[in-house]
Amino acid sequence: TGEAVVPGVTSALGASASCAVPLTHRSFGVNHVRFVVGQSKSKKLPELDWAELARDAMKQTTVFYMGYKSLDKICQCLLGHGAPAETPMVLVESATLPTERVFHGTLSTMKGVAKEHEADINGPVLFLMGPTAAFPAHLDKLAGGRPWKRLHAETSGGESDGGC
């Protein structure tokens, strides 16, 4: 079928590459990344240092695995611990697959963005939080209306179908 499974490539790295959202970027002041789960085995928020995640929200990329059903609680918890409401976020469904969909927002808007599309979300979801989640908008600005070097197609719903 032309598809291959590459052992050892985390879905966060695949999603990052597929969506043009770097995990680190010096110009964005992001020089480290954290990989965390968004919900524990008991379906509750995991025991994380939420104050530290909130404090470093604009200095790192945090990747949340298995957190879609806890998205509202995660956002509330981070905001409650002082994370800036304008912290960029990107939600990626079915990363790297032909059915990949990408939704951009902020810590304060992502709950609404996800709610708007929840009936259609069927694949695995991860989300990235931090300044680099706004990188595609930065590329658009640099491109000045020209297409990126990499082709990206828009679906009828306005969300990107893999090229972000």
Side-chain angles (χ1 to χ4, degrees):
T1 64
E3 296 178 41
V5 174
V6 180
V9 175
T10 174
S11 57
L13 181 60
S16 164
S18 179
C19 297
V21 175
L23 294 174
T24 61
H25 198 289
R26 288 182 297 230
S27 297
F28 280 65
V30 177
N31 50 20
H32 60 282
V33 61
R34 298 180 81 168
F35 302 96
V36 299
V37 295
Q39 93 178 5
S40 67
K41 192 175 180 180
S42 63
K43 308 284 188 216
K44 296 179 182 176
L45 284 183
E47 291 186 27
L48 298 171
D49 188 340
W50 292 98
E52 180 183 26
L53 286 174
R55 183 183 67 242
D56 294 340
M58 293 300 284
K59 297 188 277 184
Q60 68 183 6
T61 299
T62 305
V63 180
F64 290 89
Y65 292 97
M66 302 177 289
Y68 180 67
K69 292 184 179 175
S70 300
L71 179 61
D72 184 33
K73 290 178 187 172
I74 290 168
C75 292
Q76 286 176 8
C77 192
L78 289 164
L79 290 166
H81 280 92
E86 68 277 4
T87 303
M89 291 184 79
V90 61
L91 185 150
V92 186
E93 176 192 13
S94 301
T96 73
L97 297 175
T99 56
E100 176 182 277
R101 295 190 311 152
V102 180
F103 305 100
H104 294 269
T106 65
L107 191 54
S108 64
T109 65
M110 189 52 77
K111 175 189 171 190
V113 170
K115 184 85 172 153
E116 182 180 330
H117 298 283
E118 75 180 340
D120 300 328
I121 294 182
N122 299 308
V125 171
L126 61 78
F127 46 98
L128 298 93
M129 178 188 77
T132 59
F135 194 73
H138 175 69
L139 289 178
D140 283 340
K141 183 178 177 185
L142 290 175
R146 296 179 316 258
W148 298 355
K149 287 183 180 181
R150 185 180 137 156
L151 177 67
H152 66 283
E154 294 290 321
T155 64
S156 62
E159 68 270 0
S160 177
D161 73 348
C164 299

